[in-house]
């Protein structure tokens, strides 16, 4: 497998026809280990596709497949949801197929997605929530300019136990050229 040119990843809006790619990610035990959504069948994953369509329709979010610019093969997904028009904030999320971990791909996808989001919306603040043991994701956010804002201790139940969530945020004014 060749490594994609990460300097020019392709971010394409998620479409209904992308079901198999979304299911591949959201059913992979490694991907969903620290992710809040998972599916055990293609039919069940159709609920996720309906959600993507709904947030796009209502303007409360937008999600994109991260694709290799040369082969157009999907590598993961990134996007925002729960946009609050009054407070101009939303939550950011992302995931990557495991074979692409540690190659700088998500860092570049995050850079491109932030530029796209801030160019095409009036959002001011993006929040990213990271499950406590997921230090690679926390480091990724810090490198991208997100600020650690605290930990919500044992605030959710997952797999029968409490989990803590680290909260990171970036403001429009934190990005170069957006002051």
């Amino acid at each position: 497998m060749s490594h994609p040119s990460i300097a020019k990843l392709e971010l394409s809006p998620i479409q209904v026809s992308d079901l198999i790619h979304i299911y591949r990610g959201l059913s992979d035990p490694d991907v969903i280990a620290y992710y809040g959504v998972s599916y055990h069948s293609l039919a069940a994953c159709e609920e996720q596709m309906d959600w993507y369509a709904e947030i796009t329709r209502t303007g409360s979010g937008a999600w994109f497949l991260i694709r290799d610019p040369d082969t157009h093969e999907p590598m993961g997904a990134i996007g925002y949801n729960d946009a609050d028009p009054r407070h101009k904030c939303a939550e950011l999320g992302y995931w990557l197929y495991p074979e692409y971990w540690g190659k700088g791909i998500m860092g570049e996808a995050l850079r491109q997605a932030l530029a796209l989001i801030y160019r095409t919306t009036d959002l001011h603040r993006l929040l990213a929530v990271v499950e406590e043991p997921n230090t690679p994701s926390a480091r990724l956010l810090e490198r991208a300019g997100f600020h650690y804002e605290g930990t919500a201790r044992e605030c959710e139940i997952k797999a029968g136990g409490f989990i803590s969530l680290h909260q990171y945020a970036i403001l429009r004014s934190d990005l170069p050229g957006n002051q």
Side-chain angles (χ1 to χ4, degrees), residues 79-144:
Y80 71 95
N81 46 267
D82 298 330
D84 180 334
R86 178 172 176 225
H87 298 292
K88 299 185 184 319
C89 60
E91 184 172 338
L92 180 82
Y94 49 82
W95 53 265
L96 205 59
Y97 297 148
E99 64 266 29
Y100 298 109
W101 291 359
K103 297 177 181 5
I105 292 167
M106 189 53 79
E108 178 56 23
L110 184 54
R111 186 192 68 74
Q112 288 181 216
L114 289 173
L116 176 65
I117 292 165
Y118 282 127
R119 187 175 65 248
T120 60
T121 73
D122 67 349
L123 291 172
H124 175 69
R125 172 186 163 86
L126 289 170
L127 170 72
V129 178
V130 179
E131 291 184 22
E132 191 167 57
N134 193 354
T135 54
S137 188
R139 285 194 306 267
L140 169 77
L141 292 167
E142 289 169 354
R143 284 192 307 271

Side-chain angles (χ1 to χ4, degrees), residues 44-91:
C45 192
E46 287 176 8
E47 175 184 317
Q48 184 73 15
M49 304 311 290
D50 292 343
W51 180 78
Y52 290 133
E54 179 67 10
I55 66 170
T56 300
R57 186 187 67 73
T58 63
S60 64
W63 273 75
F64 306 90
L65 274 184
I66 303 164
R67 294 181 180 270
D68 181 306
D70 301 319
T71 66
H72 308 290
E73 284 299 308
M75 298 184 287
I78 191 166
Y80 71 95
N81 46 267
D82 298 330
D84 180 334
R86 178 172 176 225
H87 298 292
K88 299 185 184 319
C89 60
E91 184 172 338

